[in-house]
């Protein structure tokens, strides 16, 4: 039965402490009144200034950029017109005259657009002069034959037009520069005003911020440390948190949670001690009966019957090991043991695991496709057997009838990689990490008779990481794809020196 959350609250403050705000929200309200309001005034002032500055800058940039762009476009078009006109005078190709006509039309359109937004009278006069000159030149080149004296002499007028376009570009650039200087001066004035406002507001805000930080942040850090201790499984030290009343109330609830976790841990240990006897007693009977059958005490068995009995014997041994893992494994206590590393290859071990699962594979008519090489690794054979047995067991359990299980081995980035892929319903991406949590039950449907404990993959990943490797779910379009990575063994003259060391997890 779950105990109720205690109603006990923090003690009433005494003395001058009674004048302090009692809750975090009270401190926040004081901060808003004494810090935020002056800052809002400063921000409003800065906003108005920045708005005026932004509008002026935007106008300057847009107008100035457009004027310079149009002026430079005029200059580019003028160069094209001159080039076509000069070549036309030499070779007399009418296509050049047509190109000149198109460029002259564009030139006149751009000049008209530039003239429309021009406020400087001198610039407006120059633009009008450019348009008139361009029309006159086109008339001369159209009516005069190529290389005539009038047409050749008219080419000199392009020099005057180039000077006018350059003058427009220079004048527009100078206008932008003058306006930018004015904006800079205005910005410096505004910066001075904002600086003085900041000098008045910042000391007040900083002082109040330090007071609030001291009063609130310390108990929050204590609360954070307490939560981290609970998350790490440290439930022995009592939790005490000071500060405002609402933070103290959270501390009292965390202390209740710590006590409740201690109760649950004790209940779990009692349960595991009880289940140890309940599981091992019938298992001992199963193994005894299997030994009698294997020894043919109750009668002679044929070859197929002996094979089945051998599978039952091997599976009972594995079951005993899994029961021991179950008893050693809990949410806060993981099985810790030293690795007994040996030089080995995976293929014989995988074949032995497949042999143990031959009966359920036959029942489902599953097909196995295995591509396993003889890559040498340094590993604890018993723990590696548990990892592979769990992966194969899950693949068999979740595979549909007549499905295919693929087991492949490769070396990637100096590490051995073992992939086990089935054709079952697969693993949802949201559960790709959750399935490695102790006692987590996946939502994936399966056709087996017994529901798992939720410890298999947790233990398998633990053993993989004890070997300095890892076990992960790989995204797959169909079925589940489990990938085991392990470090390779390093060959030396006197044997194999493993890349992982013999140490506890």
């Amino acid at each position: 039965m779950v105990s109720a959350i205690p109603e006990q609250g923090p003690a009433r403050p005494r003395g001058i402490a009674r004048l302090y705000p009692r809750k975090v929200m009270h401190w926040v309200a004081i901060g808003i009144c004494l810090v935020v309001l002056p800052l809002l005034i400063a921000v409003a002032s800065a906003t108005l200034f920045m708005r005026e500055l932004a509008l002026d800058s935007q106008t300057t940039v847009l107008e100035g950029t457009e004027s310079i762009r149009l002026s430079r476009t005029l200059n580019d078009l003028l160069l094209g017109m001159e080039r076509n006109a000069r070549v036309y005078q030499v070779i007399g190709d009418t296509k050049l005259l047509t190109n000149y006509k198109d460029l002259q039309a564009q030139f006149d359109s751009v000049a008209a657009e530039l003239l429309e937004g021009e406020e400087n009278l001198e610039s407006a006069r120059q633009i009008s002069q450019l348009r008139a000159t361009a029309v006159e030149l086109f008339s001369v080149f159209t009516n005069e034959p190529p290389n005539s004296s009038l047409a050749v002499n008219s080419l000199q007028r392009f020099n005057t037009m180039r000077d006018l376009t350059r003058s427009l570009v220079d004048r527009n650039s100078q206008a932008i520069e003058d306006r930018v200087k004015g904006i800079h001066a205005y910005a410096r004035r505004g910066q001075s005003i904002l600086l003085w406002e900041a000098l008045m507001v910042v000391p007040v805000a900083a002082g109040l911020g330090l007071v609030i930080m001291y009063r609130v942040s310390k108990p929050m850090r204590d609360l954070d440390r307490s939560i981290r201790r609970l998350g790490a499984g440290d439930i022995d030290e009592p939790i005490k948190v000071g500060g405002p009343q609402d933070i103290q109330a959270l501390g009292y609830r965390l202390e209740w949670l710590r006590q409740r976790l201690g109760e649950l841990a004790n209940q779990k240990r009692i349960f595991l001690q009880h289940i140890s006897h309940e599981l091992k007693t019938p298992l001992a009977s199963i193994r005894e009966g299997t030994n009698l059958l294997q020894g043919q005490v109750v009668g002679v068995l044929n070859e197929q019957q002996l094979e089945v009995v051998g599978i039952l014997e091997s599976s009972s041994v594995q079951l005993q090991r899994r029961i021991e893992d179950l008893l050693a494994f809990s949410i806060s206590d993981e099985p810790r043991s030293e690795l007994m590393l040996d030089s080995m290859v995976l293929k014989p071990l995988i074949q032995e695991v497949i042999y143990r699962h031959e009966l359920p594979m036959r029942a489902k008519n599953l097909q196995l496709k295995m591509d396993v090489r003889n890559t040498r690794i340094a590993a604890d054979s018993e723990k590696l057997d548990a990892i592979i047995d769990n992966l194969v067991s899950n693949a068999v359990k979740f595979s549909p009838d007549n499905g295919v299980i693929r087991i492949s081995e490769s070396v990637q980035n100096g590490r051995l990689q073992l992939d086990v892929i089935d054709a079952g319903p697969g693993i949802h991406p949201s559960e790709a990490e959750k399935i490695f949590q102790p006692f987590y039950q996946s939502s994936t449907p399966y056709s087996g008779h017994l529901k798992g404990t939720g410890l298999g993959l947790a233990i398998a990943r633990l053993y993989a990481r004890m070997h300095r490797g890892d076990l992960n779910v790989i995204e797959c379009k169909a079925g589940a794809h489990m990938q085991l990575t392990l470090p390779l063994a390093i060959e030396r003259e006197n044997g194999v020196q493993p890349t992982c060391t013999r140490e506890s997890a």
Side-chain angles (χ1 to χ4, degrees):
M1 181 176 179
V2 179
S3 59
I5 299 178
E7 297 294 337
Q8 180 183 6
R12 288 181 173 272
R14 297 180 180 181
I16 194 173
R18 291 181 299 176
L19 302 178
Y20 293 159
R22 297 185 181 181
K23 296 185 177 181
V24 175
M25 289 302 300
H26 296 166
W27 287 97
V28 173
I30 292 176
I32 292 175
C33 294
L34 299 180
V35 178
V36 177
L37 290 180
L39 289 176
L40 288 176
I41 296 174
V43 169
S45 174
T47 301
L48 292 176
F49 166 75
M50 292 302 297
R51 182 181 179 184
E52 294 180 3
L53 183 63
L55 290 175
D56 195 11
S57 300
Q58 182 180 12
T59 302
T60 299
V61 170
L62 292 178
E63 293 180 356
T65 303
E66 184 65 11
S67 298
I68 292 177
R69 185 185 70 81
L70 294 174
S71 300
R72 290 178 176 173
T73 302
L74 281 181
N75 188 61
D76 294 339
L77 292 171
L78 182 62
L79 290 175
M81 293 164 57
E82 182 180 5
R83 183 166 52 252
N84 281 274
R86 291 185 180 278
V87 176
Y88 174 71
Q89 300 306 316
V90 175
I91 64 177
D93 190 349
T94 56
K95 290 183 179 180
L96 295 171
L97 191 60
T98 302
N99 292 340
Y100 180 91
K101 180 180 179 182
D102 293 339
L103 292 173
Q104 192 269 332
Q106 296 178 38
F107 183 88
D108 189 73
S109 175
V110 172
E113 184 178 355
L114 183 61
L115 181 61
E116 183 177 354
E118 187 59 63
E119 297 179 357
N120 187 281
L121 296 178
E122 178 62 22
S123 296
R125 185 191 64 78
Q126 291 180 349
I127 295 171
S128 299
Q129 182 180 350
L130 283 171
R131 296 180 68 187
T133 304
V135 172
E136 293 174 5
L137 286 175
F138 179 70
S139 177
V140 170
F141 297 143
T142 303
N143 297 323
E144 292 292 326
N147 207 27
S148 65
S149 58
L150 179 58
V152 173
N153 293 333
S154 297
L155 294 175
Q156 302 302 320
R157 301 184 65 181
F158 281 111
N159 296 331
T160 303
M161 295 179 70
R162 280 200 303 273
D163 293 338
L164 290 175
T165 56
R166 291 170 184 165
S167 176
L168 287 174
V169 173
D170 294 341
R171 187 176 289 107
N172 289 329
S173 300
Q174 184 61 43
I176 292 177
E177 184 177 350
D178 294 340
R179 294 188 65 175
V180 169
K181 289 181 180 178
I183 292 174
H184 286 171
Y186 181 69
R188 284 193 295 271
R189 291 195 301 271
Q191 185 178 12
S192 299
I193 295 173
L194 293 177
L195 180 59
W196 282 107
E197 291 179 349
L199 290 176
M200 290 185 292
V201 173
V202 168
V204 177
L208 291 173
L210 290 175
V211 172
I212 295 174
M213 185 183 302
Y214 173 79
R215 187 62 181 169
V216 176
S217 63
K218 185 179 183 302
M220 290 298 292
R221 287 196 298 270
D222 294 339
L223 194 64
D224 179 71
R225 281 195 295 268
S226 300
I227 294 174
R228 290 179 182 273
R229 286 208 315 270
L230 290 180
D234 181 7
I235 58 176
D236 296 328
E237 183 180 349
I239 296 175
K240 294 181 180 180
V241 180
Q245 288 182 350
D246 44 1
I247 296 181
Q248 291 185 43
L250 289 176
Y252 280 104
R253 283 162 175 76
L254 281 177
E255 172 61 18
W256 169 83
L257 178 60
R258 183 193 69 82
Q259 296 174 4
R260 180 59 183 155
L261 288 175
E263 296 173 4
L264 293 175
N266 290 331
Q267 294 174 9
K268 183 178 63 178
R269 281 192 288 269
I270 294 173
F271 167 76
L272 292 178
Q273 290 172 359
H274 175 73
I275 203 66
S276 172
H277 175 74
E278 296 296 328
L279 290 176
K280 287 186 176 180
T281 300
L283 179 61
S285 299
I286 293 174
R287 293 196 62 184
E288 191 68 29
T290 304
N291 289 334
L292 291 175
L293 290 173
Q294 198 169 29
Q296 303 189 39
V297 175
V298 295
V300 179
L301 304 180
N302 60 34
E303 184 178 350
Q304 291 183 340
Q305 291 171 335
L306 286 173
E307 181 182 1
V308 172
V309 172
I311 293 174
L312 292 175
E313 168 66 16
S314 177
S315 298
S316 64
V317 172
Q318 291 298 314
L319 179 58
Q320 181 176 350
R321 293 177 182 174
R322 299 301 169 264
I323 291 173
E324 292 172 355
D325 286 335
L326 173 63
L327 299 178
F329 201 100
S330 65
I331 294 177
S332 58
D333 299 317
E334 297 176 346
R336 299 174 180 269
S337 60
E338 188 176 275
L339 292 179
M340 303 300 294
L341 299 179
D342 293 312
S343 175
M344 60 181 298
V345 293
L346 282 180
K347 190 171 184 178
L349 185 60
I350 296 175
Q351 290 173 337
E352 181 180 345
V353 171
I354 294 297
Y355 172 74
R356 292 199 299 265
H357 293 276
E358 187 172 350
L359 290 181
M361 291 179 66
R362 287 181 183 178
K364 286 189 171 185
N365 193 27
L366 299 180
Q367 181 182 0
L368 176 66
K369 293 186 177 181
M370 191 166 66
D371 180 16
V372 180
R373 306 170 186 175
N374 293 320
T375 305
R376 186 162 294 277
I377 60 174
D380 185 312
S381 60
E382 182 177 337
K383 290 181 172 55
L384 190 57
D385 180 278
I387 298 173
I388 298 174
D389 184 81
N390 186 272
L391 297 181
V392 174
S393 174
N394 284 340
V396 172
K397 180 170 64 174
F398 290 102
S399 290
D401 293 346
N402 303 313
V404 178
I405 298 176
R406 293 179 172 83
I407 302 177
S408 61
E409 174 190 319
S410 61
V411 176
Q412 302 290 338
N413 300 322
R415 297 171 72 84
L416 181 139
Q417 179 175 300
L418 182 70
D419 296 277
V420 179
I421 306 173
D422 61 52
I427 300 171
H428 194 273
S430 63
E431 296 185 314
E433 285 298 319
K434 293 180 181 179
I435 61 173
F436 295 106
Q437 297 175 3
F439 305 111
Y440 180 81
Q441 296 290 341
S442 173
S443 60
T444 304
Y446 69 98
S447 58
H449 299 290
L450 296 176
K451 190 174 182 64
T453 63
L455 281 175
L457 287 175
I459 295 174
R461 172 176 273 191
L462 172 67
Y463 287 166
R465 290 181 174 177
M466 288 174 65
H467 285 82
R468 303 290 178 86
D470 207 350
L471 178 63
N472 293 288
V473 177
I474 305 300
E475 187 174 351
C476 187
K477 293 182 180 179
H481 182 176
M482 306 298 296
Q483 185 177 92
L484 171 67
T485 57
L486 295 170
L488 298 176
I490 301 176
E491 297 288 350
R492 292 191 176 178
E493 293 182 0
N494 297 326
V496 176
Q497 176 65 34
T499 56
C500 53
T501 58
R502 298 185 181 185
E503 60 182 27
S504 298

